Amino acid sequence: MQLLPAIGVIVVALSAAGLAPAAESVSKPHRIVSMNLCTDELVLRLADRRNISSVTWQARDRDNSNVADLARDVPINHGVAEEILPLNPDLVLAGIYTARAPVALLKRAGMRVVDTDVPRSFEDVRQQYREIAALLDEKERGEQIIAEMDSNLARLERDRPPVAPTAIVFHGDHYTYGRGSMIDVVMTRAGLENVAVRLGIGEFGQVPLEIMAMNPVDVLIIGSHRDGPALATELLRHPVLSRLSDHTRVVVIPNRLWNCGGPALVEAVERLMRVAKEVRGKVPNE
Amino acid sequence: MTRTDAVEATGRRYEIPYGSLVSGLGALVVALFVASLAIGYLPVDLWQGFGDALNGEWTAPALVLVELRVPRALLGTLVGFSLGLTGAAMQGLLRNPLAEPGIIGVSSTAALGAVVVFYFGLSGLFLLALPLGGVVGAMVATVLLYGLAGRGAGTMTLILAGVAINSFAGALTALALNLAPNPYAVSEIVYWLLGSLADRSLLSVWLVLPLMLIGWALILMSGPPLDALTLGEDTARSLGFNVGRLRLQLVAGTALSVGSAVAVTGSIGFVGLVVPHLLRPLVAQRPGRLLLVSGLGGAALMLAADISVRLLPVRPELKLGVVTAIIGAPFLFSLIYRLRAEE
């Protein structure tokens, strides 16, 4: 499988006027604020608790966050500039898809805001952990997390089944993920063939139920939803999908495992690989 | 020549024998139903799907046919029939040519009722909770409007009341969706305001059918008294019709049909306006005879609109209310223009 060339992590650092980046020991941030669930995870994994001023409210939500325990006693924000300004942070981490208005306001107020992109490969994840670890002056912890993730991935790599069962992710509102997405990388690592790629889906796209029904897969991957009903998630209970399951294995992968790039991706690979091995027996050998 | 005479004359001019009109529209609905089964996102061998489904083999074509296209076509027919029928019924009841579930706010209160039941998990309480939520919502608006129009309110009052009810129900729907626990809920307001038949299942069909059929029966039975009502309430009474019961029957029938329809497809506007207007000359302006044909016409319009959203190269597919409003809103405008000229 061919990985897209690592797009890399866009890091735009703005220094407060007059404050040129000084030596690292001097510039180690002590009042870090994160405005995005994925940067919450980076900050909570990499920085010391005493240096974190605030993370988003989502970081404490066990269904969406991999680091809910670490976030338990960290003050929370809702990504609103008014909450963040009084904290007088010396570093604000945001995602490039975080609401732009408050981010722009914080930048105008002279804060040091760093935007992070979504990783699209394991190389992106490594690079992101290295860059943010450097920014937080926690390089060692960064390398440790990367090394652990890589050794787990290497262990799983040896286990990968030789024949790839077909699979597709189906999330609320018909969303699926194809070439160029982290989810596709995880599926391939787990020894699954992502049918969304064959259907011409790029990083993400919507697939009508009819197309799902006409392209039966060995493994149908859905997200977990415990948020009460909505049409978008009710869709996953449509009888056309449950009837498919005579031939199709339906697996739930919690969105938190692969929403953000990080060590949790290993668990996603592991869970999917287990399924891939189980259904492999039923896939006719070519 | 008085206005009524002129209307009668034009009516007679275009009149088609009732039997032929009903069978003609029925045939159109059947043809569009088959077309709706045949047209989709992918070419599917319908015969194979049909055969496999009969043999209990759930192959891909059988699944697409039975679980996706049949429910979609059935719901299009049922909901279109309900909207066309109730449009004709309300125009007869309120003796107002602009009465229509969407314009006067019945659909939007029905959507509000369904939204509250669905997003807060009440639809799991008992089987018919979701359609009943829609029916209760629709009932509120119907009773309100009847209270207003029953006192002889003019077209202007009715439309303005509709504006008020629509914006109030729309705001409360947005509020309910904002408070709903699921993060997808907020963006789904589009569905409730504009309606769609996409991704419904046979379960939705069984869910709406009982209440909807009762609503249809109540309305269709009111044909003869509705005809008599055109001669004035006193005359209708002297002919032995119970006007009070007629009103109750039409109000309940409308709430049951529109409420259950909106609960599974969102509110789809203008069908109840356009269809009765196009067909009225063909039944010599008789509101009783207009009922059944408007139902059939509504079903045909809904199926055609739903086929068009799948044929148009817009993805994700357009909401049905977009198509019906593009046809219906200019139609409404031309009606208002003509009414103004007549005044």
Side-chain angles (χ1 to χ4, degrees):
Chain A
M1 121 122 217
Q2 195 204 313
L3 278 175
L4 274 188
I7 293 165
V9 181
I10 301 170
V11 175
V12 186
L14 286 188
S15 303
L19 277 181
E24 269 171 8
S25 55
V26 180
S27 72
K28 179 163 184 161
H30 298 289
R31 292 183 308 279
I32 309 162
V33 168
S34 160
M35 296 175 67
N36 167 290
L37 178 61
C38 293
T39 53
D40 290 346
E41 184 170 337
L42 280 160
V43 166
L44 289 164
R45 282 190 197 276
L46 289 168
D48 278 336
R49 161 69 189 90
R50 63 193 154 85
N51 291 330
I52 308 172
S53 289
S54 169
V55 293
T56 73
W57 85 106
Q58 289 174 302
R60 287 186 184 172
D61 173 2
R62 238 155 248 295
D63 289 338
N64 287 315
S65 163
N66 298 307
V67 286
D69 286 331
L70 294 173
R72 214 168 29 205
D73 58 345
V74 180
I76 54 165
N77 70 73
H78 301 81
V80 182
E82 275 188 43
E83 297 171 299
I84 293 165
L85 278 170
L87 301 172
N88 190 26
D90 49 8
L91 176 65
V92 177
L93 289 177
I96 56 167
Y97 301 111
T98 304
R100 290 288 84 188
V103 170
L105 191 103
L106 294 174
K107 284 180 180 171
R108 274 204 305 279
M111 305 230 157
R112 185 174 179 221
V113 182
V114 173
D115 290 323
T116 59
D117 197 0
V118 182
R120 294 174 175 85
S121 66
F122 280 102
E123 194 41 49
D124 282 358
V125 174
R126 286 181 204 108
Q127 204 178 325
Q128 187 164 60
Y129 266 80
R130 283 203 179 102
E131 286 177 12
I132 302 299
L135 214 59
L136 303 178
D137 196 20
E138 298 284 1
K139 283 188 180 160
E140 213 170 296
R141 214 173 280 175
E143 290 307 324
Q144 206 181 318
I145 291 171
I146 294 168
E148 199 181 322
M149 181 179 86
D150 281 344
S151 85
N152 283 326
L153 285 174
R155 170 176 56 81
L156 290 170
E157 184 76 23
R158 290 191 290 275
D159 251 14
R160 183 162 55 195
V163 182
T166 56
I168 195 165
V169 173
F170 198 54
H171 278 173
D173 211 12
H174 306 90
Y175 273 100
T176 190
Y177 307 84
R179 197 181 292 293
S181 65
M182 190 71 230
I183 286 181
D184 180 54
V185 173
V186 168
M187 289 168 76
T188 312
R189 280 261 177 176
L192 294 168
E193 187 205 333
N194 185 3
V195 173
V197 173
R198 204 197 296 155
L199 293 174
I201 303 288
E203 204 178 330
F204 57 89
Q206 287 170 299
V207 184
L209 278 180
E210 274 195 17
I211 307 234
M212 293 289 294
M214 290 302 280
N215 292 279
V217 287
D218 302 316
V219 181
L220 175 69
I221 305 163
I222 60 176
S224 56
H225 293 282
R226 275 180 263 166
D227 293 325
L231 298 163
T233 44
E234 209 65 1
L235 185 67
L236 304 175
R237 290 206 250 162
H238 194 286
V240 80
L241 294 179
S242 41
R243 285 235 203 249
L244 275 178
S245 63
D246 292 352
H247 329 272
T248 302
R249 176 78 187 271
V250 182
V251 207
V252 177
I253 297 290
N255 295 344
R256 67 181 162 82
L257 292 183
W258 51 15
N259 263 352
C260 303
L265 292 168
V266 174
E267 192 186 331
V269 174
E270 205 165 4
R271 288 199 193 190
L272 287 178
M273 194 177 274
R274 214 176 307 142
V275 177
K277 282 197 230 157
E278 279 168 25
V279 297
R280 188 182 39 153
K282 299 178 197 158
V283 179
N285 284 315
E286 278 124 82
Chain B
M1 190 162 74
T2 65
R3 189 178 155 229
T4 332
D5 292 337
V7 166
E8 289 275 307
T10 33
R12 292 268 151 68
R13 189 146 27 106
Y14 299 110
E15 193 180 344
I16 295 177
Y18 186 62
S20 339
L21 185 60
V22 170
S23 42
L25 283 168
L28 181 64
V29 171
V30 171
L32 286 165
F33 187 92
V34 173
S36 180
L37 292 183
I39 292 164
Y41 284 92
L42 285 169
V44 171
D45 187 339
L46 291 185
W47 284 121
Q48 193 209 328
F50 191 61
D52 288 348
L54 281 184
N55 293 329
E57 284 176 51
W58 293 110
T59 57
L63 276 176
V64 170
L65 182 67
V66 175
E67 296 293 353
L68 293 169
R69 296 210 183 154
V70 167
R72 189 166 185 156
L74 276 176
L75 275 180
T77 313
L78 294 174
V79 171
F81 192 96
S82 296
L83 294 175
L85 179 70
T86 49
M90 302 210 85
Q91 286 166 25
L93 174 69
L94 302 171
R95 275 177 282 170
N96 192 312
L98 297 186
E100 193 262 345
I103 294 173
I104 61 179
V106 176
S107 297
S108 53
T109 52
L112 173 61
V115 160
V116 170
V117 169
F118 179 67
Y119 288 90
F120 295 93
L122 306 176
S123 48
L125 290 184
F126 57 99
L127 194 61
L128 292 180
L130 180 65
L132 274 176
V135 170
V136 169
M139 189 69 90
V140 170
T142 325
V143 169
L144 264 179
L145 285 160
Y146 191 74
L148 203 71
R151 295 162 203 270
T155 303
M156 175 82 101
T157 315
L158 193 69
I159 300 297
L160 290 178
V163 170
I165 293 176
N166 269 324
S167 39
F168 191 64
L172 289 184
T173 304
L175 175 67
L177 291 171
N178 262 301
L179 296 177
N182 193 306
Y184 281 104
V186 177
S187 60
E188 288 174 1
I189 192 162
V190 183
Y191 171 89
W192 294 102
L193 295 182
L194 291 168
S196 166
L197 292 172
D199 305 326
R200 308 286 89 194
S201 65
L202 280 173
L203 184 71
S204 305
V205 177
W206 306 134
L207 218 52
V208 296
L209 211 51
L211 297 176
M212 201 178 254
L213 288 181
I214 298 172
W216 291 4
L218 287 174
I219 295 177
L220 288 172
M221 281 183 332
S222 61
L226 208 52
D227 278 340
L229 196 65
T230 50
L231 306 169
E233 282 187 18
D234 294 336
T235 319
R237 273 200 200 93
S238 69
L239 288 170
F241 292 110
N242 183 339
V243 176
R245 211 188 75 182
L246 168 71
R247 283 181 197 139
L248 197 65
Q249 213 173 316
L250 288 176
V251 165
T254 300
L256 285 166
S257 316
V258 177
S260 46
V262 170
V264 293
T265 62
S267 54
I268 298 166
F270 296 106
V271 175
L273 178 80
V274 174
V275 171
H277 271 280
L278 292 179
L279 295 174
R280 192 167 284 121
L282 306 183
V283 293
Q285 316 284 333
R286 288 179 57 184
R289 287 199 159 181
L290 188 58
L291 294 174
L292 178 61
V293 295
S294 291
L296 292 171
L301 177 60
M302 186 68 88
L303 286 168
D306 188 48
I307 290 169
S308 75
V309 296
R310 283 177 284 171
L311 287 177
L312 286 170
V314 182
R315 294 289 176 268
E317 65 179 50
L318 282 176
K319 295 285 175 263
L320 267 179
V322 176
V323 179
T324 56
I326 286 173
I327 304 167
F331 193 87
L332 172 64
F333 191 82
S334 73
L335 276 178
I336 294 172
Y337 189 80
R338 260 193 295 167
L339 283 174
R340 195 180 139 265
E342 278 172 17
E343 279 163 13

